[in-house]
Amino acid sequence: MMTDPGRIAPRICPACDGFASAAITLGGRDRHGHLRTLTVHCPACHGTGTRSTRTVASIAGGRA
């Protein structure tokens, strides 16, 4: 009897290579001395860093 291999690991998003969020500085500091930043997320994976196999196949032109 074979054991269950479990779930397949999610694929890394090809658009961001797994680095799904970035902090962008706006320049300067606020009145409390904190650096002003915006956190932006990858538009392809919505900040998760992974994509489903179906989505990766459609981005890669059918190659899974």
Side-chain angles (χ1 to χ4, degrees), residues 28-36:
R29 298 184 180 267
D30 64 10
R31 61 187 174 129
H32 299 287
H34 299 121
L35 188 62
R36 298 183 316 164

Side-chain angles (χ1 to χ4, degrees), residues 1-26:
M1 176 184 251
M2 294 188 70
T3 60
D4 183 24
R7 289 177 27 146
I8 297 173
R11 295 190 174 229
I12 294 175
C13 175
C16 66
D17 290 328
F19 295 96
S21 298
I24 300 172
T25 61
L26 299 174

Side-chain angles (χ1 to χ4, degrees), residues 10 14 17 29-30 36 41 46 48-49 51 53 57 63:
D17 290 328
R29 298 184 180 267
D30 64 10
R36 298 183 316 164
H41 302 289
H46 305 287
T48 62
R51 297 292 290 215
T53 305
R63 296 174 287 146

Side-chain angles (χ1 to χ4, degrees), residues 52-64:
S52 67
T53 305
R54 172 187 274 173
T55 309
V56 171
S58 67
I59 291 173
R63 296 174 287 146

